[in-house]
Amino acid sequence: MSAVEYEPVIGLEIHVQLKTKTKMFCGCELSFGDPPNVHTCPRCLGLPGSLPLPNARAIHYGLLIGMALECELAPRSIFHRKNYFYPDLPKGYQISQYDEPLCGPGRLGDVRIHRVHLEEDAAKLVHVGASGRIHASDASVVDFNRGGTPLAEIVTEPDIRSAEHAREWLTLLRTTLRQLGVSDVNMEEGSLRCDANISIRPKGQTEFGTKTELKNMNSFRFIERGIKAEIARQEELLRNGEAVVQETLHFDPRTEAITSLRSKEEAHDYRYFPEPDLVPVTITADMLAGAKAELPELPAARQERFEALGLQADTARQLAWRSELGDYFEAALGANGDSGSPQVVANLVCNDLVARIGDADPATSKAEPGAIAALAGLVERKAVTPGNARVVLDKLVADGGDPAEIIEAEGLGAMGDGDELDGIVEAALAANADAAEKIRGGNMKAIGPIIGHVMRETKGRADGGEVTRIVREKLGL
Amino acid sequence: MSRPTDLTAVEAAAAVRAGELSAAELFDAYRERAAADDLNAYTWVADAAPSEAPAADAPLAGVPVAVKDLFCTEGIPSQAGSRYLEGYCPPYTSTAVQRLLDAGAPVLGKTNQDEFAMGSSNENSGYGPVLNPWDHTRVPGGSSGGSAAAVAGGSAPWALGTDTGGSIRQPAALTGIVGLKPTYGSISRYGMIAFASSLDQAGPLTRTVADAALMLRHLQGADSRDMTSVGLRDEVVLPTAERLDGIRLGVPEELLGEGIEPGVRAAFEQSLALAEELGATVETTHLPHAPHALSAYYILAPAECSSNLARFDGVRYGARVDADTLTDMYTRTRHDGFGPEVKRRIMLGTYALSSGYYDAYYGKAQRVRTKIAEDFRAAFERFDFIVTPTSPNVAFELGSKTDDPLSMYLNDFCTVPMSLAGIPAISIPNGLADGLPTGLQLAAPAFGENKLLEAAHALEAALGFERLDQKTVAA
Amino acid sequence: MLHVARLARLELTDDEVEHMTGELQKVLGHIDKIAELDLEGVEPTSHVVAVENALRADEPEPSLPRDVALASAPAVSDDGFLVPSPQAS
Ligand SMILES: [Mg+2]
Ligand SMILES: [Zn+2]
C-alpha cells in the first residue's frame, strides 16, 4: 500500500500594531514599558458616555499598507462592533471592521491578500495568581496602556504550502511594513502577531481539509516550528483514520506541544453590527495622493532593480527582503573609489559579512560599506586572493579600516605572475612527487597537497587558479 | 415683581442681566424647592449656589438647570437611574452640560430617570418612580420623567433631557410642558451615558417654546469629541411668530389610529381648528411605513443598548458582585446591577443581533428606517410640518402597565418615527383631557428648528395653556 | 433564552426566565410583523447623519492620572484593575 502524500494549506492572519503617536480612538499616547494604567482616558477605559474618535494617521497607515500589498482600496468603509466579554476589552466590544474593510483583495509576492482592516488592540492582562484582595482565589490585573493601540489586521488567502514558506513570506511582509514605516514589526514585543490557519489534503485534491487555528506564535522561528508540528499532528491523525477537529490551538515552543484552547473559546457569536458612534470613512483623492507620495520602494520592486544590476535572483532577494542588507549594499555601490562589480560586492555582503555579523544590522558594523566595496574591487582585480580577502574582512569587522592598508601592513597582497611563484610551484612538485605522479596520470583531484604547499609558502597570497595553471604547464598537461 | 420662580428662563435671564434679580437669589429659590421636592424628581441636588456670580455677559445669566442623571458631570453622581452606577462620579463633564455651564447656567440638580433611559413612565428607575405633579398617583412619562416633573412642578426653571424614541416629548406632554428633540447630531452626545447611540439626542424640557429655543441655542453645535455631531446650520433665534399664515400642516393618518384616547383626540382636533384660524392649512397625509416604526425601533434600540451596556461588567466602575470565576462575576454583577426592563431590552437586543437572526431583525429594521425617512421626505415636499398627538394617552396610573411591556412600548407610537428619521420634533401643551395634560407634536425636516420653534410659539400663544406652576401660583 | 442570556452575561433566575419568556414572546409577536414587509433592494440605514470622514489628528492629549483612572474600580491592585482570572475555571 502506498502512503498518501499530503499537502499543507496555510493561511495567515497577522495583527500589526501601528506606530502612530496616539491610540486608535483617543488621544492617549502609545507607550512601551511605562508603568501600568498611566495612558488612559474616558474613551480607552470605556467610561460611560465616552465616544471613539478615529485617528487619521491610522487610516493613512492603513492606506499605505493597502497600497504596498496591492489591495483594492475601498472608496468607503465602515467600522463595526465585535461584541464579546473579556476583562481586556473595556467596552464589551472591539471596534473593528467587518464586511466593509478599508482594503480588499491584494497580493504580496506569491501570496494573495484577502483583506486588510483596522481595529483597536485589547489591553494587557497580567495573571497574578492568588490574591487576598479579591474574593476569587486566582486573579489577574488589567493594564489599559496598550488597550486601544491601532492595529492593522492582514488576512492572507490560503496560498502558503509549507512552514518554511510561511516563515519566508512573513519575512517579506515584515520588511515591507518596516519600509513603510508604519510599525516596529517586532514579534517579541508584540507589534507583529501571527495566527495560522492550517489544514492538509491529499496531494492533487482541490477541496480543503478541516482547518485548525494556531494562535499567538511570537517569533518567526516558533511560527515555522509550530506550523510544522501542527502539520505533523494532522498527518498522523489522518493516517490513523481519525478526523481533524476544527479548533483553536496553542503551540508551546518549549515542549513543542500543541494544546486546544477550546475551553476559553466556547460558542463565539460576535453579533457584529455597524458602530453607531462613528461615521463612514471615505477615501478622498487627497488621502490617496498623500499615501502614494509616501510610498517607499518596496522589497519586490527593489529585488527587480537589483536583478537589473546583474545580481542573481537569490542574492537580489536576500538584499531586498532584508532591507538593512540592501541599504548597506547600496551604500557600498555608491561609495567612492574602485568598487568591484555588483555581484562581487553582493557576495561579500550576503555571504561573508552576514556569516560574521549574523542578524545584526551591518550599518552598526565597523566595516564601512566603502571598505567592503574597495575589498571587492581588490578581489576582482586579483590584488588579493579570495582566501586572504576573508582575512581582511575579519580585520574590517573587528577594527574597521582600509582594506588596501591592511593588505599592505599584513603582507596579504596576491603574488604577481612572476618567477617567484614559478619557483615555489617547482619546489612543491618536488616535495610531493606522489601527487605530481597522480596528476600526470590525469587525476587533477590530487592537486590539493601541491596547492596547500604553495599556500603555506606564500601565506595565502598565491592565486589558486594561477598555481593550477603553472602545475599543468610544468607537467605538460 | 413676582417671585423669581414664576419667571420663565428667558425672563429670569433678562431680570438677572438687568440687575433686578441676583443669580444667587434665583439659584437659592430653586435649590430650596428642589431640596423639598416630593415627586422623587431628583437624585442629587446642589448644596449651594455657585460661589461665583455669572459673568456679566453670560447669556444664560445664572439661570439654574436640572440635568437628567445620564449626563456625566465631573465629581457629581451620574447614575443614569441605575443601581449599577450608584454613587458613580465621572472624571469628566459631558459637552452638553459644559456648554450650559459655559453660557452661565449652573447645575441645580440631577434628575431621576428610567434606568439607562429605557422606559416611558419613569417606573424603571433604580431610585424609585417619579410622580406626576398633576396627580401623584400617576406617572410623569419617561424616560426624562424627573426632568419633566421638576419643570412642571416648578422646582426647576428648565431641564436637560434626552430623547431616544420620545423620552423628552412624551413626559413633556404628560406633564404639560414643552419638550424639544432636535435634529440628530445637532447636540453632542459626548458624556451622555448611551442607550441607543444612533437615536439618542439631548434636548430641553421647558415652560415655554422660547425657553426651549434659548437653551437649544447654547446646546447645539458640532463637537470634536463626538464624530456624529454636526450642529445646526443656523443660529437659533428666539421665536416671535403669532400667526401661521401659509403654513401647511400634514396629519398622518397612520399615526391617528384607534390607539388614541378619545380625550386626546378631541384636544388634538381642537388644536388643528385653532391652527386653521391662525392661517394654517391642515390636510391628511400618509407615512405608509410609520405603523412599522415601533417594531423597527424595538429592534434597533435594544440591539444598540445590548452592546452599549456591555461595558457595565464590574471591572472599572460600578457595583461588582464578587465571585470565584470571571463568568460568575460578570453574570451576577449584571443580574444585580440592572433592573427588569434593562434586562428585557438586553435580551431582546442580544437575540436580534445573534447569529442567524441579524438579517430578519436588525437588517430588516434598518431598511424600515430607510423607508420611514423616505416617507417623511415625501411628506415634507407638500407640508411644512407633520402634526400628531405626542402621546396616544394622558398620564396613566403608576403600576398600571408595568406587567405589560408591549402596552408600555405603544406609548411611543407617535414619537418613534421622528426618532428613526432623525428629524426635529417638539411637544407643546395641548389642553387637558380628563383634567390631565395632553401634548401636540410638530415635526419638521432635519435642521428646520427655527421654523419649527416659530410655528410652535404661535400655537402655544393661541392655545393659552395654563401650566401647573402657574396654577400653583394662583392657588 | 438561556443561550442569549449567556451571550449577554446575564444571570437569570428560573422565575425571571419564565416571566421574560412570556413578555418577550409577546413583544416579538408584535415586532415580527415587519417580516411581512417586502424591502428587497432597500438600502439599510445605520445612521441618519450625512457626515463622512470625521477623523482626529494624531496629536496626543493628556491622559488621566492613574489614581483617577482607578478611583471607581471595585477592586484594584497597586497599579491596575483586579479581576478574577479568566484562566480559572
Ligand atoms: Mg482582529
Ligand atoms: Zn485614551
Side-chain angles (χ1 to χ4, degrees):
Chain A
M1 188 190 106
S2 70
V4 188
E5 226 190 296
Y6 289 103
E7 173 189 56
V9 175
I10 303 158
L12 301 177
E13 274 181 39
I14 301 106
H15 284 89
V16 183
Q17 279 185 344
L18 300 181
K19 213 164 63 176
T20 48
K21 280 190 221 154
T22 64
K23 294 185 179 181
M24 184 71 211
F25 294 112
C26 70
C28 289
E29 281 185 82
L30 300 192
S31 73
F32 300 96
D34 284 337
N37 292 304
V38 296
H39 298 284
T40 73
C41 70
R43 295 174 207 279
C44 61
L45 283 177
L47 296 193
S50 65
L51 297 169
L53 302 178
N55 185 333
R57 198 189 308 268
I59 310 273
H60 173 67
Y61 284 174
L63 286 180
L64 280 173
I65 293 172
M67 284 178 174
L69 305 188
E70 296 171 35
C71 290
E72 286 171 24
L73 304 178
R76 176 185 184 276
S77 72
I78 63 171
F79 286 98
H80 269 68
R81 289 186 185 178
K82 180 181 183 180
N83 294 283
Y84 65 97
F85 285 85
Y86 213 68
D88 61 10
L89 197 65
K91 301 185 293 294
Y93 54 84
Q94 179 194 33
I95 305 178
S96 180
Q97 295 193 291
Y98 184 52
D99 53 3
E100 296 182 49
L102 188 66
C103 311
R107 167 181 296 280
L108 177 68
D110 54 357
V111 174
R112 287 170 303 150
I113 303 295
H114 177 61
R115 60 183 281 165
V116 180
H117 73 248
L118 297 176
E119 60 187 28
E120 52 181 345
D121 205 352
K124 206 168 88 185
L125 202 56
V126 183
H127 188 79
V128 293
S131 162
R133 304 226 196 141
I134 185 168
H135 182 61
S137 52
D138 219 9
S140 297
V141 171
V142 201
D143 168 12
F144 285 97
N145 281 351
R146 190 186 75 180
T149 299
L151 291 179
E153 180 175 327
I154 300 166
V155 183
T156 78
E157 295 291 350
D159 287 350
I160 294 168
R161 291 291 173 269
S162 72
E164 296 80 2
H165 186 192
R167 179 185 175 156
E168 190 175 285
W169 184 81
L170 274 171
T171 313
L172 170 62
L173 177 68
R174 182 173 59 174
T175 306
T176 304
L177 295 171
R178 187 176 288 147
Q179 293 284 94
L180 290 173
V182 297
S183 171
D184 289 332
V185 285
N186 185 324
M187 290 203 88
E188 283 73 18
E189 287 171 8
S191 53
L192 180 71
R193 306 199 283 267
C194 181
D195 303 335
N197 288 304
I198 303 160
S199 65
I200 60 172
R201 62 184 172 192
K203 241 187 179 134
Q205 181 182 304
T206 46
E207 307 97 83
F208 295 130
T210 305
K211 69 176 179 187
T212 57
E213 191 183 8
L214 203 52
K215 282 261 182 213
N216 289 328
M217 294 166 288
N218 59 3
S219 84
F220 279 66
R221 238 160 8 101
F222 295 162
I223 285 172
E224 189 176 338
R225 279 164 53 196
I227 293 175
K228 259 192 189 135
E230 175 55 11
I231 292 170
R233 191 189 68 93
Q234 291 190 11
E235 274 196 29
E236 172 143 356
L237 280 174
L238 295 190
R239 287 194 204 287
N240 292 339
E242 291 172 62
V244 173
V245 181
Q246 182 163 355
E247 60 187 331
T248 304
L249 303 169
H250 174 79
F251 172 69
D252 184 337
R254 275 183 310 114
T255 60
E256 305 259 322
I258 286 176
T259 49
S260 176
L261 289 175
R262 216 170 352 170
S263 58
K264 190 175 134 183
E265 187 183 32
E266 63 182 73
H268 275 168
D269 183 348
Y270 292 125
R271 290 160 284 136
Y272 280 101
F273 74 101
E275 164 59 287
D277 288 331
L278 294 173
V279 296
V281 176
T282 45
I283 302 308
T284 63
D286 274 4
M287 288 161 86
L288 284 176
K292 206 159 217 147
E294 270 182 38
L295 211 58
E297 184 187 39
L298 296 167
R302 200 176 201 195
Q303 179 180 344
E304 271 176 37
R305 191 163 56 77
F306 287 165
E307 284 180 45
L309 290 176
L311 298 195
Q312 290 155 4
D314 270 8
T315 320
R317 188 166 72 168
Q318 199 184 342
L319 289 171
W321 288 24
R322 252 187 85 181
S323 56
E324 69 278 14
L325 286 188
D327 294 345
Y328 188 88
F329 166 70
E330 294 206 74
L333 282 191
N336 287 330
D338 248 345
S339 88
S341 73
Q343 184 66 51
V344 176
V345 175
N347 285 346
L348 267 177
V349 173
C350 291
N351 304 328
D352 303 302
L353 185 61
V354 166
R356 284 164 179 76
I357 64 170
D359 285 339
D361 183 348
T364 62
S365 145
K366 284 191 176 146
E368 297 286 334
I372 297 292
L375 182 58
L378 293 167
V379 170
E380 207 161 24
R381 278 181 276 105
K382 304 208 159 136
V384 61
T385 63
N388 273 351
R390 285 185 204 109
V391 178
V392 174
L393 191 59
D394 282 337
K395 300 233 176 261
L396 287 175
V397 170
D399 307 313
D402 176 68
E405 283 168 19
I406 293 169
I407 288 167
E408 178 69 38
E410 306 278 329
L412 295 169
M415 299 173 69
D417 29 352
D419 297 344
E420 193 188 350
L421 189 56
D422 204 75
I424 293 168
V425 172
E426 192 85 47
L429 286 172
N432 296 278
D434 275 11
E437 198 54 40
K438 282 184 191 151
I439 296 166
R440 220 187 304 266
N443 182 5
M444 274 315 279
K445 282 179 187 157
I447 200 169
I450 313 274
I451 290 187
H453 185 103
V454 174
M455 289 301 177
R456 263 194 311 280
E457 290 296 313
T458 62
K459 295 200 176 84
R461 292 155 57 237
D463 181 88
E466 185 64 11
V467 176
T468 309
R469 192 188 61 75
I470 296 171
V471 170
R472 283 171 171 273
E473 192 185 274
K474 295 214 175 281
L475 300 180
L477 291 167
Chain B
M1 202 188 99
S2 52
R3 290 178 304 176
T5 48
D6 295 339
L7 303 172
T8 66
V10 169
E11 290 163 351
V16 172
R17 262 201 308 275
E20 297 159 13
L21 178 65
S22 88
E25 192 185 335
L26 180 67
F27 192 97
D28 284 336
Y30 278 113
R31 208 199 68 75
E32 219 166 275
R33 286 189 174 200
D37 160 65
D38 60 353
L39 303 170
N40 197 25
Y42 294 87
T43 49
W44 178 87
V45 175
D47 286 338
S51 50
E52 275 174 57
D57 59 348
L60 298 182
V63 179
V65 61
V67 173
K68 190 175 184 177
D69 200 21
L70 61 69
F71 287 90
C72 285
T73 39
E74 187 177 347
I76 293 173
S78 305
Q79 310 165 131
S82 181
R83 284 288 171 191
Y84 177 84
L85 285 178
E86 189 167 0
Y88 172 68
C89 293
Y92 75 107
T93 295
S94 56
T95 298
V97 171
Q98 191 59 52
R99 287 200 177 205
L100 294 179
L101 290 172
D102 292 346
V107 175
L108 170 68
K110 298 295 286 289
T111 56
N112 201 345
Q113 59 164 100
D114 281 305
E115 184 176 7
F116 296 117
M118 296 175 204
S120 309
S121 70
N122 224 305
E123 292 164 293
N124 299 330
S125 168
Y127 302 89
V130 178
L131 312 181
N132 190 317
W134 289 77
D135 176 346
H136 290 199
T137 68
R138 291 176 187 265
V139 303
S143 64
S144 309
S147 289
V151 175
S155 66
W158 55 2
L160 187 55
T162 63
D163 189 313
T164 305
S167 281
I168 286 174
R169 292 161 284 163
Q170 185 256 12
L174 268 46
T175 57
I177 60 170
V178 174
L180 170 66
K181 182 202 90 74
T183 304
Y184 184 87
S186 59
I187 300 170
S188 170
R189 290 184 297 113
Y190 185 64
M192 258 168 64
I193 299 176
F195 162 21
S197 313
S198 78
L199 297 157
D200 293 345
Q201 191 57 201
L205 292 109
T206 56
R207 294 179 187 175
T208 66
V209 174
D211 282 2
L214 180 62
M215 192 191 287
L216 178 65
R217 178 193 284 173
H218 296 286
L219 282 172
Q220 71 87 19
D223 178 16
S224 61
R225 285 162 292 191
D226 171 7
M227 291 308 185
T228 64
S229 78
V230 290
L232 294 174
R233 289 163 191 170
D234 312 307
E235 199 195 343
V236 179
V237 178
L238 294 195
T240 55
E242 289 168 9
R243 303 270 314 161
L244 293 174
D245 296 310
I247 297 292
R248 300 156 302 168
L249 300 179
V251 181
E253 202 173 65
E254 293 80 4
L255 296 181
L256 283 155
E258 58 218 51
I260 311 284
E261 284 178 1
V264 172
R265 186 184 296 272
F268 177 66
E269 276 162 8
Q270 271 179 25
S271 298
L272 294 182
L274 188 66
E276 283 179 318
E277 282 173 33
L278 293 177
T281 57
V282 179
E283 266 181 74
T284 297
T285 184
H286 292 282
L287 298 171
H289 296 84
H292 295 284
L294 203 69
S295 302
Y297 175 83
Y298 277 97
I299 292 167
L300 296 173
E304 290 185 18
C305 99
S306 73
S307 175
N308 281 334
L309 270 55
R311 67 188 61 198
F312 302 115
D313 61 1
V315 176
R316 282 142 293 122
Y317 39 79
R320 169 192 290 187
V321 177
D322 279 326
D324 285 334
T325 70
L326 181 67
T327 304
D328 287 349
M329 188 276 277
Y330 280 152
T331 58
R332 287 178 202 161
T333 292
R334 291 164 62 78
H335 174 271
D336 288 12
F338 297 149
E341 180 61 23
V342 169
K343 285 180 197 154
R344 259 194 297 272
R345 298 214 194 173
I346 289 176
M347 291 292 287
L348 194 56
T350 304
Y351 173 69
L353 288 174
S354 66
S355 170
Y357 296 95
Y358 182 92
D359 290 336
Y361 288 110
Y362 197 82
K364 193 111 193 190
Q366 285 186 311
R367 289 174 169 81
V368 172
R369 194 171 183 183
T370 306
K371 296 307 283 184
I372 285 169
E374 283 174 10
D375 286 355
F376 274 111
R377 264 196 295 279
F380 287 132
E381 279 175 22
R382 290 179 49 216
F383 299 100
D384 296 295
F385 306 108
I386 297 295
V387 288
T388 72
T390 308
S391 165
N393 44 258
V394 294
F396 45 91
E397 302 263 351
L398 282 159
S400 63
K401 296 189 182 187
T402 38
D403 286 340
D404 188 357
L406 184 58
S407 80
M408 189 73 92
Y409 296 171
L410 287 168
N411 260 278
D412 303 335
F413 188 72
C414 296
T415 49
V416 152
M418 294 77 183
S419 297
L420 291 172
I423 59 175
I426 192 167
S427 176
I428 61 171
N430 185 40
L432 302 178
D434 307 320
L436 291 166
T438 72
L440 175 71
Q441 175 178 232
L442 289 98
F447 305 105
E449 271 81 350
N450 275 332
K451 276 183 76 178
L452 179 67
L453 288 161
E454 291 290 0
H457 180 265
L459 269 169
E460 173 189 50
L463 277 158
F465 180 79
E466 194 185 9
R467 293 189 313 269
L468 190 66
D469 65 287
Q470 293 168 317
K471 283 187 202 296
T472 321
V473 175
Chain C
M1 194 71 181
L2 289 173
H3 169 68
V4 175
R6 210 169 304 125
L7 280 177
R9 295 293 186 276
L10 267 182
E11 186 181 76
L12 296 177
T13 62
D14 292 348
D15 227 34
E16 285 169 320
V17 171
E18 201 188 307
H19 248 86
M20 213 178 275
T21 307
E23 289 162 351
L24 291 184
Q25 261 163 5
K26 213 167 149 192
V27 173
L28 285 171
H30 182 86
I31 287 174
D32 280 337
K33 280 189 235 159
I34 64 164
E36 297 158 14
L37 286 172
D38 179 16
L39 299 172
E40 264 306 297
V42 177
E43 279 296 307
T45 296
S46 42
H47 236 291
V48 291
V49 276
V51 203
E52 296 192 328
N53 275 356
L55 303 174
R56 168 183 62 86
D58 185 26
E59 299 299 339
E61 277 169 38
S63 293
L64 293 172
R66 182 163 59 206
D67 56 330
V68 175
L70 294 176
S72 299
V76 294
S77 71
D78 296 335
D79 46 19
F81 300 85
L82 208 55
V83 292
S85 175
Q87 278 101 29
S89 47

